[in-house]
Amino acid sequence: MFSFVSIPNKLSGIGLAAYEVGEKTHTVIQPGRVVKDFVNFPDVAPTFMEVAGEAAHPQMTGKSFLDALQSPRSGQIDPARTYALLGKERHDTGRVSEDGTDLAYPVRAIRTKEFLYVHNIKPDLWPTGNPEYGLRNCDGSPTKSYLTGLAPSDADYRYYEMCFGKRPEEELYQRDKDRHCINNLAANPESAAAKTRLRAQMEQDLTDQKDPRTLGQGDIFDQYPYMGKQFNYNQKK
């Protein structure tokens, strides 16, 4: 059996955020053992290709994890699978440039057993979309209605800011002690070495994968046409 089990999202981030609830999916393969290897969605296609006896397409950046599927062991199977890269570009409409172009909220991140490092590449933008357009990257719910109805003077307004406010350029969380990613250590001098190491590893891998954003060509993501219902920014609907 091979299936993905998605973890329901909480409101403290966006649906495809680079936080625990946005990036973690349990993979059920063989009940009775637990494998600790980090696996990304780009690894799934090369795995299926290897099962079918075919070579992975040159465009694929992932790596087959068939060895982990076939191993009878639990724990860490592949000693190289100790981290995963995460990324986000456009997920919904709700941010717009002066010329009417829908804008992405670009994020790149790296997750290890101990840390989550997040690089919000354009921290001047709103992560869940502009407030004046309804924070469109977060679906409607009673919780969203409650938070967006708060005033800055309200005691719970800090939760609005955690969910919808602008984010710093860098975030670093010690995942084994802060699984909800609340205490940002990016500005902590004691965490500087870990932050530098994680960012270097992330950027090296993304460069090897020819990620346009990492290579300074990321605005191409804003040029792809949106195939869903187009949002009218003048009418705000």
Side-chain angles (χ1 to χ4, degrees):
M1 179 174 67
F2 190 101
S3 63
F4 293 101
V5 182
S6 179
I7 299 177
N9 192 18
K10 64 179 181 180
L11 198 61
S12 63
I14 42 187
L16 289 182
Y19 303 121
E20 182 74 5
V21 295
E23 50 86 2
K24 186 175 182 180
T25 301
H26 292 296
T27 307
V28 180
I29 299 171
Q30 181 182 358
R33 67 188 183 100
V34 177
V35 176
K36 299 295 186 180
D37 295 36
F38 281 78
V39 173
N40 269 9
F41 274 116
D43 297 326
V44 174
T47 303
F48 288 167
M49 296 290 284
E50 185 176 1
V51 170
E54 300 291 337
H57 191 280
Q59 189 179 14
M60 295 178 179
T61 59
K63 176 187 174 184
S64 170
F65 56 95
L66 185 60
D67 55 343
L69 300 182
Q70 294 178 332
S71 173
R73 297 186 292 115
S74 292
Q76 189 77 33
I77 307 302
D78 183 345
R81 288 190 177 275
T82 57
Y83 65 92
L85 300 184
L86 312 169
K88 177 183 179 295
E89 286 290 337
R90 291 165 66 187
H91 185 210
D92 204 338
T93 57
R95 299 177 212 87
V96 66
S97 64
E98 292 182 359
D99 64 0
T101 301
D102 286 314
L103 298 176
Y105 186 78
V107 180
R108 298 294 184 270
I110 182 170
R111 165 82 150 80
T112 68
K113 180 180 179 181
E114 185 178 7
F115 289 106
L116 170 66
Y117 170 77
V118 179
H119 182 201
N120 298 305
I121 299 171
K122 294 189 175 183
D124 56 311
L125 299 179
W126 295 94
T128 55
N130 289 31
E132 64 268 29
Y133 300 132
L135 304 164
R136 292 173 54 80
N137 211 167
C138 179
D139 293 338
S141 70
T143 306
K144 180 181 180 181
S145 297
Y146 172 75
L147 292 176
T148 55
L150 295 172
S153 58
D154 291 327
D156 285 346
Y157 190 74
R158 64 190 182 98
Y159 297 115
Y160 171 88
E161 293 182 315
M162 291 174 65
C163 293
F164 304 119
K166 291 183 178 180
R167 295 174 181 152
E169 181 176 351
E170 293 186 296
E171 301 176 71
L172 179 68
Y173 302 100
Q174 190 165 353
R175 283 288 300 106
D176 55 343
K177 297 180 180 179
D178 180 22
R179 66 182 302 268
H180 295 295
C181 302
I182 301 298
N183 184 25
N184 184 6
L185 304 175
N188 187 340
E190 296 179 356
S191 303
K195 183 180 72 172
T196 300
R197 171 176 53 81
L198 290 167
R199 179 160 179 167
Q201 180 69 70
M202 177 186 74
E203 292 184 341
Q204 181 61 62
D205 282 19
L206 291 173
T207 298
D208 293 343
Q209 295 178 14
K210 298 180 173 57
D211 171 40
R213 186 69 67 180
T214 303
L215 297 178
Q217 304 162 6
D219 287 344
I220 190 175
F221 289 112
D222 296 331
Q223 306 305 317
Y224 297 135
Y226 184 71
M227 303 308 295
K229 181 181 178 181
Q230 189 64 42
F231 183 74
N232 188 314
Y233 288 99
N234 293 322
Q235 299 179 8
K236 298 184 179 181
K237 65 179 183 179

